[in-house]
Amino acid sequence: MKAVTVVGASLAGLGAARALREQGFDGTLTVVGEEPHPPYDRPPLSKDFLLGKAGPADLALHDDHGDSGLDIRWRLGTRATGLDPRRRAVLLADGSEVAGDGVVIATGATPRRLPGPGPQAGVHVLRTLDDAEALRDDLAAGTPRVAVVGGSFIGAEIASSCSALGLEVTVIEAAPLPLAPVLGEEMAAHCTALHADAGVRLLCGTGVARLLGADRVTGVELADGRRIPADVVVVGIGVRPATGWLAGSGVDVDDGVVCDSGCRTSVPGVVAAGDVARLPAPGGGSARAEHWSNASDQPAVAVRNLLAGATVQDYRRTPYFWSDQYGVRIQFAGAARPGDTVRVVDGAPADRSFAAVYERDGAVTAAIALNRPRPFTRLRRTIAA
């Protein structure tokens, strides 16, 4: 290959660029990014960035000095609008294109928004640096009441940061118990109890009917008729993979870019990595993993198979993620399923400091820990083995 285009100036995109050089690719390397910013770390956006403990420079992933040998041609602030599979040409919103021999899709995902009309001012999502700056400015403008729609990990982290800022916070979750599909009901209950510990109101089992207010939001009307006053509303109800630009390209898309076990797509010379990639799952079917560790680890495998022109390496990593909420670090590895038994092996849930394992047919399949990093590291190694 003489030229490769990476679409997505993200953690996965930068990882792919680094992996290309590390694996011997010395041709033209172009990275296309919709945002004007060089690659940056997203997890701190909902935590230290909102709290004013970190700025844009602290989030930077690309180091002009350390990464000088990458010799990247950056196309930032330019959205990809299409892909010509025959020429492996990425079409851009400014009317230009970047053609080459290979393409890495690392466009990630975009946040879902509440459907229907409603006020715009004071309503936020949190995915990008610009999103975080807009939300931080709104929270600093004398905003006493915040409603977070969605009790997901990102929603919980936002609620935690708003609570630390001294704001009145309400979390609204449509499901009976947040996080239960991922953690199981028993462990999800321990994690969601962190809201009450911090004095944050958690309303479960009801959705949002509409946002109140004319130009600026004044509250949230729930499906059961209750009205929650709010000066700022943050919507954290999940994301959708950024694949619209691939329409008509021949790349198989189904809630993400469909890949084989080595991140190769249905189009030769095109691979995918990160939040946008859907790979075969160990237990059958397929899945996308929206985790930092996946976006960090996957590109090296995708690039190896891209350069080889065949799947010479499968992507096999134990799923892992973490979340920082209310001064508690939640860590999880593996995959929990309904019917798994959960056993506490260290600490005590009542103290919000413990480690537990999920077991199925006598084997440990997953582990969770709250403020127990050392025991968790040992358990994670066991699962990986």
Side-chain angles (χ1 to χ4, degrees):
M1 290 189 172
K2 296 181 179 179
V4 173
T5 305
V6 178
V7 188
S10 56
L11 172 66
L14 180 61
R18 287 171 171 163
L20 281 162
R21 295 307 191 202
E22 290 168 359
Q23 295 182 29
F25 174 71
D26 59 2
T28 302
L29 174 55
T30 304
V31 176
V32 175
E34 181 174 0
E35 295 181 61
H37 315 289
Y40 58 87
D41 210 14
R42 296 186 191 276
L45 293 178
S46 59
K47 300 180 275 286
D48 285 353
F49 189 87
L50 280 189
L51 293 173
K53 297 179 180 179
D58 301 306
L59 309 184
L61 292 172
H62 177 67
D63 182 346
D64 288 334
H65 177 69
D67 289 329
S68 59
L70 295 181
D71 190 23
I72 295 174
R73 296 183 179 183
W74 296 98
R75 295 295 301 273
L76 300 178
T78 307
R79 180 171 54 90
T81 58
L83 174 65
D84 181 338
R86 183 178 59 84
R87 297 184 299 117
R88 293 173 187 77
V90 177
L91 313 181
L92 304 179
D94 62 6
S96 65
E97 65 175 37
V98 183
D101 306 301
V103 176
V104 180
I105 300 171
T107 44
T110 58
R112 298 181 183 273
R113 298 176 183 268
L114 292 173
Q120 300 297 313
V123 181
H124 299 266
V125 294
L126 182 55
R127 179 72 180 182
T128 69
L129 178 58
D130 291 344
D131 292 338
E133 288 180 333
L135 176 56
R136 188 171 69 175
D137 290 346
D138 228 355
L139 296 177
T143 302
R145 301 169 300 182
V146 178
V148 179
V149 181
S152 61
F153 286 106
I154 183 66
E157 290 173 1
I158 293 168
S160 170
S161 294
C162 290
S163 175
L165 292 170
L167 306 176
E168 179 185 319
V169 185
T170 301
V171 177
I172 302 163
E173 169 59 45
L177 180 64
L179 310 179
V182 178
L183 304 180
E185 292 189 1
E186 182 181 351
M187 292 295 105
H190 290 307
C191 291
T192 54
L194 298 174
H195 293 299
D197 292 348
V200 169
R201 186 184 184 192
L202 173 62
L203 304 178
C204 295
T206 183
V208 172
R210 65 188 180 106
L211 298 179
L212 305 174
D215 295 330
R216 184 175 180 88
V217 70
T218 60
V220 179
E221 182 176 311
L222 305 183
D224 60 15
R226 284 179 292 175
R227 292 190 169 193
I228 310 301
D231 306 291
V232 165
V233 173
V234 189
V235 180
I237 55 174
V239 297
R240 57 171 58 90
T243 57
W245 66 284
L246 294 168
S249 68
V251 173
D252 190 7
V253 172
D254 181 11
D255 186 33
V257 175
V258 178
C259 301
D260 70 2
S261 58
C263 304
R264 296 174 70 226
T265 75
S266 55
V267 173
V270 180
V271 298
D275 291 0
V276 75
R278 174 171 289 276
L279 272 65
S286 60
R288 290 188 303 109
E290 299 168 3
H291 306 317
W292 186 96
S293 57
N294 186 68
S296 176
D297 296 341
Q298 208 170 65
V301 175
V303 162
R304 182 177 181 191
N305 295 326
L306 174 67
L307 296 177
T311 301
V312 297
Q313 180 180 356
D314 293 332
Y315 178 74
R316 299 189 185 280
R317 299 286 190 280
T318 302
Y320 165 69
F321 63 87
W322 77 92
S323 178
D324 294 313
Q325 306 170 21
Y326 306 106
V328 175
R329 168 153 289 196
I330 302 169
Q331 294 174 283
F332 184 90
R337 298 179 188 173
D340 287 356
T341 58
V342 183
R343 179 168 55 92
V344 176
V345 296
D346 190 85
D351 297 332
R352 309 294 187 242
S353 179
F354 69 94
V357 294
Y358 296 73
E359 296 173 319
R360 187 184 318 128
D361 299 328
V364 175
T365 58
I368 186 172
L370 273 65
N371 278 352
R372 272 295 202 271
R374 289 185 178 178
F376 177 82
T377 299
R378 293 194 294 270
L379 292 172
R380 185 182 176 191
R381 289 172 181 161
T382 300
I383 297 168

